[in-house]
Amino acid sequence: MKHFRTERVRATPKLFFTYILVGFIALLGLTCLYYGSSFAPGSRKSDEFDGSDNRARTRSVTMTNRAAVLAVSRLEVPKSVPICDSRHSELIPCLDRNLHYQLKLKLNLTLMEHYEHHCPPPERRFNCLVPPPTGYKIPLRWPVSRDEVWKANIPHTHLAQEKSDQNWMVVNGDKINFPGGGTHFHYGADKYIVSLAQMLKFPGDKLNNGGSIRNVLDVGCGVASFGAYLLSHDIIAMSLAPNDVHQNQIQFALERGIPSTLGVLGTKRLPYPSRSFELAHCSRCRIDWLQRDGILLLELDRLLRPGGYFVYSSPEAYAHDTENRKIGNAMHDLFKRMCWRVVAKRDQSVIWGKPISNSCYLKREAGVQPPLCPSGDDPDATWNVSMKACISPYSVRMHKERWSGLVPWPRRLTAPPPRLEEVGVTPEQFREDTETWRLRVIEYWKLLKPMVQKNSIRNVMDMSSNLGGFAAALNDKDVWVMNVMPVQSSPRMKIIYDRGLIGATHDWCEAFDTYPRTYDLIHAWNTVTETRTRGCSIEDLLIEMDRILRPEGFVIIRDTSDNISYIKKYLTLLKWDKWFTETTPKGDSLSIKDERVLIARKKLWSVPAISVS
């Protein structure tokens, strides 16, 4: 008995330390659960700066764990957010070709799959702040930026050398100049635009044709000089190009303050609804339009409004090349079977017109290719939807309605569009939404006024654009807005385009396909609530917002007070604390319970000036 008691006495310290060890392991396990879940920032090791082990994690959690993780995420905030290695200063997470190689993704290069949206798996996500390049300066202000940018901000000059004969861009000391040239318009986009209007015989040589042409899709846009010069004609172009061998062309376009985005005609539909553009443009865009039964042309057909135009320009040398003449003849045959017609032709520029009705389709002989899409196909479904080699016929309502029955710009911005009823919105609700956002933007600008200088805001993103009211309210300012429609609200994207605005469908559980330091202002209305409801990481969202926000840019976050309180804990970690303000907004028809508005400004920082230990 005495011996037993001695053993017990000797065992007590051992058990004590065992309990401590078990408790510590349990605590460590819970911590790992938190940081390894989709609501956590991922592993934050000291070797994260090489970027090798710190990429995206899964974007969904099981319903069993979701409530618990949500509760933790409201309380837990990391002590720091690390800085990415400087070689990742141009990181685009879902267009990272190094990742493709490392993961050995089997992508079809012929079909351009390697330029499409492929996000990293959980263990490969960067959870760090993307630094600016060495010597980065606050971008030049619009409209000066249209013609010149700081070389240090995009230290890539190979395009200036490669396209020296086409006047794309010229290196001039510490700046890069853009003379306005292009592959097919060496003497300036402004003259080229007038020539297109003349080909179409528009009054006054104005390509906007009295406001009937507003939205343009420029495919293979280069540095977007065509889109830049369209702006003075009251035309807004979605300038589109992949992150290809001319890697930084869209980066230059965005730095210039020109509406543009990364994208490719590959295997997936572009993230725009049907009947979004009055005109599509391709100037020597090096696209094989005949591949896969003309599927790429059929994607343009889906995107063009009834009676829309396709401008196809090729170099003069192509006219004397036998192979290119064969391609031209084959395209002509395909267009004829698609019921398109030649509207105008001059030298090596051809303008094709899309029919305004289904009449021609119904007169084709049986078995003629391409076929009409089946009745069950939704031409407005775009997110992660494969292209289809078929013609999207018009609905009964749109039959013989040129430009989809839209009024000319600028009345188009505030007039209720015909497709409102497709998204369950009445004209009265549309008008109320427009007026509500007009008043909201006035209040925003009152809060921003002490900090905003003239023309310091040019590129704007609305992360949850609804009916486009926020962008419409900014129409009197010299800005452009990328209206992002979350996937859960994607049917409403057609209203954005019907108002004469531009945007894209996106899933905010993933990174947006644009370069770092793209936007001067980001507006997030209920985006945090929606992201959290879907079981995705708020920290991920904030780090992604930081990636695409320019230094000294602003975020306007309108959400519940709980979410605003949580976000405020990140302001210093994200270096969004140069200036911030918080307020309770006036109630209106769109208000939610316990709503707050937070406006914060990002600092201009550099890696040498930041302690990363």
Side-chain angles (χ1 to χ4, degrees), residues 87-154:
R87 68 176 178 271
H88 301 304
S89 65
E90 295 176 354
L91 174 68
I92 310 170
C94 298
L95 295 176
D96 185 355
R97 285 197 292 279
N98 288 329
L99 179 73
H100 300 169
Y101 301 143
Q102 293 165 12
L103 297 180
K104 299 180 180 179
L105 298 183
K106 296 180 179 179
L107 303 176
N108 190 321
L109 305 188
T110 303
L111 303 185
M112 304 297 174
E113 281 189 304
H114 54 308
Y115 296 139
E116 293 185 321
H117 185 83
H118 301 285
C119 292
E123 68 278 9
R124 303 291 300 177
R125 188 169 196 271
F126 285 93
N127 285 11
C128 48
L129 303 183
V130 175
T134 302
Y136 180 88
K137 300 179 181 181
I138 298 302
L140 296 169
R141 295 178 184 176
W142 181 268
V144 173
S145 64
R146 187 195 74 171
D147 301 324
E148 61 181 25
V149 301
W150 295 116
K151 184 173 69 174
N153 291 7
I154 310 178

Side-chain angles (χ1 to χ4, degrees), residues 377-410:
D377 177 66
D378 180 4
D380 297 327
T382 60
W383 185 251
N384 202 30
V385 175
S386 297
M387 290 182 187
K388 295 177 173 61
C390 57
I391 300 170
S392 298
Y394 299 123
S395 65
V396 174
R397 181 178 177 82
M398 288 295 125
H399 194 64
K400 295 185 179 181
E401 283 281 353
R402 191 176 184 84
W403 312 132
S404 300
L406 299 172
V407 299
W409 178 268

Side-chain angles (χ1 to χ4, degrees), residues 256-357:
R256 297 173 69 187
I258 302 169
S260 48
T261 190
L262 287 163
V264 67
L265 285 166
T267 66
K268 304 293 184 182
R269 283 178 172 174
L270 295 176
Y272 321 125
S274 67
R275 306 195 302 273
S276 292
F277 302 95
E278 285 84 36
L279 186 147
H281 175 258
C282 164
S283 173
R284 196 188 175 186
C285 50
R286 297 178 179 272
I287 292 175
D288 178 7
W289 294 107
L290 298 173
Q291 63 174 282
R292 292 174 286 159
D293 301 317
I295 194 169
L296 304 185
L297 280 175
L298 291 164
E299 173 66 357
L300 288 189
D301 181 87
R302 182 184 71 85
L303 294 171
L304 282 175
R305 301 195 197 277
Y309 301 110
F310 175 47
V311 179
Y312 181 72
S313 299
S314 59
E316 292 80 0
Y318 281 22
H320 309 291
D321 182 84
T322 303
E323 185 61 29
N324 279 290
R325 285 203 300 270
K326 288 181 180 179
I327 292 173
N329 292 335
M331 286 182 65
H332 181 88
D333 178 65
L334 175 59
F335 277 130
K336 186 176 180 180
R337 286 183 277 117
M338 291 170 58
C339 294
W340 290 26
R341 63 186 179 89
V342 175
V343 177
K345 187 178 188 303
R346 179 185 294 175
D347 299 325
Q348 286 303 104
S349 293
V350 183
I351 302 178
W352 297 85
K354 179 181 175 180
I356 63 171
S357 75

Side-chain angles (χ1 to χ4, degrees), residues 16-269:
F16 176 73
F17 286 107
T18 299
Y19 294 152
I20 291 177
L21 180 60
V22 170
F24 175 77
I25 292 173
L27 179 61
L28 182 62
L30 289 172
T31 303
C32 290
L33 175 63
Y34 168 63
Y35 281 102
S37 71
S38 68
F39 271 79
S43 175
R44 300 187 179 279
K45 300 176 183 177
S46 60
D47 62 355
E48 283 180 29
F49 298 97
D50 67 9
S52 61
D53 296 305
N54 196 34
R55 297 192 175 177
R57 59 192 173 278
T58 185
R59 297 302 183 167
S60 62
V61 291
T62 63
M63 292 301 295
T64 304
N65 293 332
R66 184 173 295 167
V69 177
L70 278 170
V72 174
S73 69
R74 288 181 180 276
L75 300 174
E76 300 291 337
V77 175
K79 293 182 179 180
S80 65
V81 178
I83 310 298
C84 301
D85 188 275
S86 59
R87 68 176 178 271
H88 301 304
S89 65
E90 295 176 354
L91 174 68
I92 310 170
C94 298
L95 295 176
D96 185 355
R97 285 197 292 279
N98 288 329
L99 179 73
H100 300 169
Y101 301 143
Q102 293 165 12
L103 297 180
K104 299 180 180 179
L105 298 183
K106 296 180 179 179
L107 303 176
N108 190 321
L109 305 188
T110 303
L111 303 185
M112 304 297 174
E113 281 189 304
H114 54 308
Y115 296 139
E116 293 185 321
H117 185 83
H118 301 285
C119 292
E123 68 278 9
R124 303 291 300 177
R125 188 169 196 271
F126 285 93
N127 285 11
C128 48
L129 303 183
V130 175
T134 302
Y136 180 88
K137 300 179 181 181
I138 298 302
L140 296 169
R141 295 178 184 176
W142 181 268
V144 173
S145 64
R146 187 195 74 171
D147 301 324
E148 61 181 25
V149 301
W150 295 116
K151 184 173 69 174
N153 291 7
I154 310 178
H156 303 284
T157 59
H158 62 280
L159 273 179
Q161 299 160 359
E162 183 180 340
K163 302 292 184 178
S164 59
D165 61 329
Q166 298 171 17
N167 279 331
W168 275 32
M169 49 190 278
V170 177
V171 178
N172 184 12
D174 61 353
K175 294 179 181 176
I176 295 176
N177 299 120
F178 300 88
T183 303
H184 193 67
F185 39 91
H186 304 175
Y187 302 107
D190 50 349
K191 296 180 179 64
Y192 175 67
I193 290 167
V194 170
S195 72
L196 295 179
Q198 291 172 343
M199 290 175 66
L200 291 166
K201 299 180 181 179
F202 287 164
D205 298 338
K206 301 293 185 182
L207 191 59
N208 69 1
N209 194 26
S212 63
I213 292 188
R214 166 63 181 173
N215 293 0
V216 167
L217 177 66
D218 187 15
V219 181
C221 65
V223 293
S225 289
F226 181 65
Y229 284 85
L230 284 175
L231 291 169
S232 62
H233 294 259
D234 274 339
I235 296 174
I236 189 166
M238 180 65 85
S239 297
L240 182 79
N243 186 25
D244 60 7
V245 291
H246 303 144
Q247 288 181 23
N248 306 96
Q249 53 191 340
I250 290 296
Q251 191 177 17
F252 281 118
L254 292 165
E255 184 76 9
R256 297 173 69 187
I258 302 169
S260 48
T261 190
L262 287 163
V264 67
L265 285 166
T267 66
K268 304 293 184 182
R269 283 178 172 174

